[in-house]
Amino acid sequence: MKSIFIIFVIQVSFNSCLLAGGPKKIAKINRSLWPYQINSVYEFDFASRMEMLVLINVLDDQDNCNHIDSLKKYLGLEKVGIESVNKWKEQTKEILQTNFKNLTAEGKHDFVVIATPVSWMGLVNSSKQQEKAMPDNLRAWYNEAKEFYNSYVYEQMRLAALFPRTTSEILNLDTDEINGNKFADKQFLLTFDDGPTYVNGNTDKLISTLRQNNINGIFFVLGDMFYSRRKVTSDERLKALYGKNIVGSHGKVHKSHQKYPEWKSSISFTANIIDSVVPERKKSMYFRPPYGQRTQEVINFLEQNNSKVMLWNIDSQDWNTKISSNEVADRIITLMLVWRKGILLFHDIHPKANEALPLIWKQLNKAGVIWVDPNSL
């Protein structure tokens, strides 16, 4: 039975590479180049301010290259959904402006003036000031951050350019979909996809780590994986495994529910088997479509069955063989500094989440970050 689980995990990972629509190069950053700790509210906000200004600088450069032919060449796509790209840009600009309004007062490290009231052009001007006035101890970090955000913006714009032909987490299809952007400042929710693994595998180890740190998350299980795990254990033990964590649905199989002909049975099968093990779960079940790919018809079906879509806005890329656990932690911390709220995507079938999370918690221990308990949603 264990060998069957391993084969299934490999298959899920391989399919993710093929279908997720991700870029060849993922954004990675070395946070050891940042010379300060992030162990206080001010230190978090100073780092957040600096990260956001670099992203704004990169976005401003992209605004100067908005012709559709230029975008096709830049993204390596034959077709570009220009409306979706522009919508993502506008939403991102709005989020960043709101984030600057949530920052604490400037302090000892600050060297960039942020004009008030906050405006996009004012922030663009501050990003240019940052680049010119960069102190020597931040220069190595800045060069690394500039490369990171160039890669990250490429990741996001590529997803936007494919939308809605290929849907993803990049934009909502429906106003009831949850993506983390409406959380309060510095609130973050942990979510994990594709499990469970075999008994005493990565899922069990990760849940043990969460329990030791008194943190709960949402586990979006695949119906087939959940069924296989149930066969080799008992309902009581499977229920006890997840404890206070929420169990959500990832569908029966890891296939695009935008294109999968049997998406209805996939959703129903998984909801029923979860209900049979965790009958007292929350009345509304969260569903995370594989790859974030869904249709309005899927959303309507979920609504009729008292379920709703939960996406994400911070992707760890922990499934990707091109990124290490330390790099996953550095990427997540950087994106937390930029977005300042949201839903983090990990995969419990891989070991990197269990290795990266303690590093993240340690660095942000006194930064005022709130790890949302999904039971309170």
Side-chain angles (χ1 to χ4, degrees):
M1 181 58 69
K2 180 174 177 178
S3 61
I4 294 174
F5 269 106
I6 293 172
I7 292 170
F8 198 97
V9 168
I10 292 172
Q11 184 67 41
V12 168
S13 302
F14 180 70
N15 287 342
S16 297
C17 296
L18 292 178
L19 297 177
K24 295 179 180 179
K25 181 180 180 182
I26 59 174
K28 298 189 290 186
I29 190 168
N30 179 4
R31 290 222 60 84
S32 68
L33 296 174
W34 180 252
Y36 305 110
Q37 298 293 314
I38 314 177
N39 57 3
S40 71
V41 172
Y42 166 72
E43 296 287 357
F44 182 95
D45 281 2
F46 173 64
S48 176
R49 183 182 288 110
M50 292 294 100
E51 297 288 346
M52 288 192 289
L53 286 174
V54 183
L55 174 56
I56 288 166
N57 190 301
V58 171
L59 286 171
D60 183 59
D61 288 342
Q62 283 300 325
D63 278 345
N64 298 323
C65 180
N66 209 24
H67 189 274
I68 191 165
D69 289 334
S70 300
L71 282 173
K72 287 179 181 179
K73 184 177 180 180
Y74 167 62
L75 298 171
L77 297 172
E78 294 183 2
K79 294 181 179 180
V80 170
I82 191 68
E83 291 183 4
S84 296
V85 170
N86 290 336
K87 185 176 181 180
W88 173 79
K89 283 185 177 182
E90 289 307 309
Q91 287 187 4
T92 298
K93 291 174 183 180
E94 290 174 8
I95 291 169
L96 291 170
Q97 289 175 81
T98 299
N99 286 352
F100 268 91
K101 296 174 184 177
N102 287 323
L103 293 172
T104 54
E106 296 177 357
K108 58 185 178 180
H109 302 319
D110 288 281
F111 60 94
V112 179
V113 175
I114 306 299
T116 54
V118 173
S119 68
W120 180 251
M121 286 313 302
L123 292 176
V124 169
N125 291 334
S126 295
S127 76
K128 306 301 182 186
Q129 178 190 354
Q130 177 200 45
E131 189 171 25
K132 292 179 181 177
M134 188 66 57
D136 290 341
N137 70 329
L138 288 176
R139 181 59 60 182
W141 160 79
Y142 181 80
N143 292 337
E144 177 95 350
K146 195 74 178 287
E147 182 177 348
F148 173 83
Y149 288 111
N150 273 306
S151 296
Y152 182 67
V153 167
Y154 171 80
E155 284 181 23
Q156 303 305 293
M157 284 183 61
R158 191 173 189 278
L159 290 173
L162 291 167
F163 195 95
R165 288 183 296 114
T166 302
T167 53
S168 67
E169 77 280 9
I170 198 68
L171 292 170
N172 280 18
L173 275 179
D174 190 276
T175 55
D176 285 338
E177 293 183 309
I178 304 169
N179 61 11
N181 287 336
K182 293 184 179 179
F183 284 4
D185 189 49
K186 296 172 81 171
Q187 287 190 340
F188 297 93
L189 172 66
L190 295 174
T191 66
F192 309 93
D193 289 7
D194 296 353
T197 55
Y198 55 85
V199 176
N200 296 324
N202 289 323
T203 299
D204 305 59
K205 295 172 184 176
L206 174 60
I207 291 175
S208 176
T209 299
L210 292 172
R211 188 175 293 119
Q212 290 168 23
N213 288 274
N214 198 30
I215 295 175
N216 300 317
I218 301 180
F219 285 78
F220 289 98
V221 302
L222 288 169
D224 278 349
M225 296 284 275
F226 199 76
Y227 175 77
S228 296
R229 176 69 185 256
R230 184 189 189 190
K231 285 178 65 178
V232 298
T233 182
S234 65
D235 286 4
E236 291 74 19
R237 289 183 178 179
L238 191 51
K239 178 181 175 181
L241 169 67
Y242 288 101
K244 294 181 180 180
N245 296 284
I246 296 293
V247 180
S249 168
H250 203 34
K252 183 176 186 289
V253 292
H254 205 279
K255 294 184 178 182
S256 168
H257 282 48
Q258 182 178 4
K259 303 171 184 176
Y260 185 40
E262 299 176 27
W263 62 265
K264 280 188 181 180
S265 62
S266 172
I267 292 171
S268 297
F269 173 88
T270 308
N272 289 336
I273 195 172
I274 291 172
D275 275 339
S276 68
V277 175
V278 193
E280 68 280 8
R281 67 169 176 82
K282 293 186 67 169
K283 292 182 179 179
S284 178
M285 180 178 289
Y286 298 116
F287 172 71
R288 172 164 290 164
Y291 318 111
Q293 295 175 14
R294 72 281 183 207
T295 64
Q296 188 63 50
E297 189 179 4
V298 169
I299 295 168
N300 294 342
F301 178 78
L302 290 167
E303 184 178 348
Q304 293 164 11
N305 289 275
N306 202 26
S307 299
K308 59 176 61 179
V309 170
M310 178 175 284
L311 301 168
W312 63 93
N313 65 330
I314 298 177
D315 186 351
S316 70
Q317 289 281 334
D318 62 336
W319 60 269
N320 199 313
T321 58
K322 298 177 182 178
I323 189 168
S324 69
S325 299
N326 285 347
E327 290 169 334
V328 165
D330 285 352
R331 176 183 164 101
I332 285 288
I333 290 171
T334 301
L335 294 178
M336 290 174 67
L337 290 166
V338 165
W339 299 125
R340 295 186 64 88
K341 65 178 74 72
I343 298 173
L344 281 59
L345 167 64
F346 291 95
H347 298 81
D348 54 305
I349 60 171
H350 300 298
K352 292 176 190 173
N354 194 38
E355 296 163 355
L357 280 170
L359 302 176
I360 296 167
W361 293 330
K362 182 179 180 180
Q363 290 196 50
L364 302 179
N365 183 37
K366 298 179 181 179
V369 166
I370 299 168
W371 297 103
V372 175
D373 185 342
N375 296 284
S376 68
L377 293 176

